[in-house]
Amino acid sequence: MAAMSTACQQRIALNDGRQMPSFGLGVWQAPLGQCKAAVLHALRCGYRHIDTAEVYGNEQDVGDALAIFLKERPDVQREDIWITTKFFPRHGAGRAAVVRACKDSLRKLRLQYVDLYLIHAPHTRERIEQYSALEALRAEGRCRSIGVSNYGIHHLQELLAVCAVPPCVNQVRDLSVWCLHAIDASNFTGRVQPVHHSYAAP
């Protein structure tokens, strides 16, 4: 337990100046109910980073678990817990769709802001417009850091040529066939800092 707690306290410096816990719990494919129990157990064990997404369908469980934990532990503040979630891009979904999705995620998570908001994949033509919405949400305080997920080098180059705020994370899933190009981007040395997450499925 002590070793786990120590690992959970380690942090990575992002290119926006913030410190992100390097070890976290990902809740992909975690069913409702089980997800809530798993997140609550992880927080009690010392985890301080929870990774969810709009498309996972379990943001509400994450929010419920976080609320319970913070009530149990008045010595732990909201700012001590890093919450990552993601917008799932759909064809034709522009800036307004991203803003709506973010607000809906915040409602389900029962939060005023998320620590990291990502575009889940680069598979739509609207990806530049979608990222500009992330920049606006960051300026409004709805998300503290912004980034992308499963982007390849050419996607990053395209984005960095036009964005005002460079992404601080490119989250990829290792061993995923469809994002092999994104794995290659782990060696990209532009203004973005790629970060690999290891997932512990509940």
Side-chain angles (χ1 to χ4, degrees), residues 144-163:
R144 298 285 176 88
S145 295
I146 57 175
V148 295
S149 181
N150 301 311
Y151 272 45
I153 292 175
H154 62 295
H155 299 123
L156 295 172
Q157 290 173 330
E158 173 193 61
L159 178 57
L160 290 170
V162 297
C163 68

Side-chain angles (χ1 to χ4, degrees), residues 1 8 12 17 39 44 51 57 64-65 67 73-74 106 114 127 133 138 141 148 155-156 170 178-179 187 200:
M1 182 72 73
C8 291
I12 297 172
V39 171
R44 288 168 174 167
D51 181 285
D64 289 347
R73 290 282 305 274
L106 290 173
V114 291
R127 57 182 171 266
R138 177 179 179 270
V148 295
H155 299 123
L156 295 172
N170 179 28
W178 78 280
C179 70
N187 294 318

Side-chain angles (χ1 to χ4, degrees), residues 49-63:
H49 183 174
I50 306 297
D51 181 285
T52 184
E54 172 192 358
V55 74
Y56 296 173
N58 52 26
E59 289 174 314
Q60 185 169 335
D61 264 14
V62 172

Side-chain angles (χ1 to χ4, degrees), residues 43 79 172:
L43 291 169
E79 292 75 16
V172 300

Side-chain angles (χ1 to χ4, degrees), residues 95-124:
R95 185 184 182 103
V98 179
V99 173
R100 285 195 302 270
C102 181
K103 290 180 178 179
D104 193 46
S105 290
L106 290 173
R107 178 183 58 79
K108 292 176 181 176
L109 290 163
R110 300 165 63 177
L111 297 175
Q112 297 299 311
Y113 69 91
V114 291
D115 295 275
L116 179 61
Y117 197 44
L118 306 177
I119 296 177
H120 210 142
H123 59 247
T124 67

Side-chain angles (χ1 to χ4, degrees), residues 28 120-121 149-150 171-184 196-197 199:
W28 178 52
H120 210 142
S149 181
N150 301 311
Q171 183 190 95
V172 300
R173 280 185 61 223
D174 288 351
L175 306 181
S176 173
V177 174
W178 78 280
C179 70
L180 287 178
H181 292 296
I183 293 174
D184 292 339
H196 290 253
H197 286 193
Y199 289 90

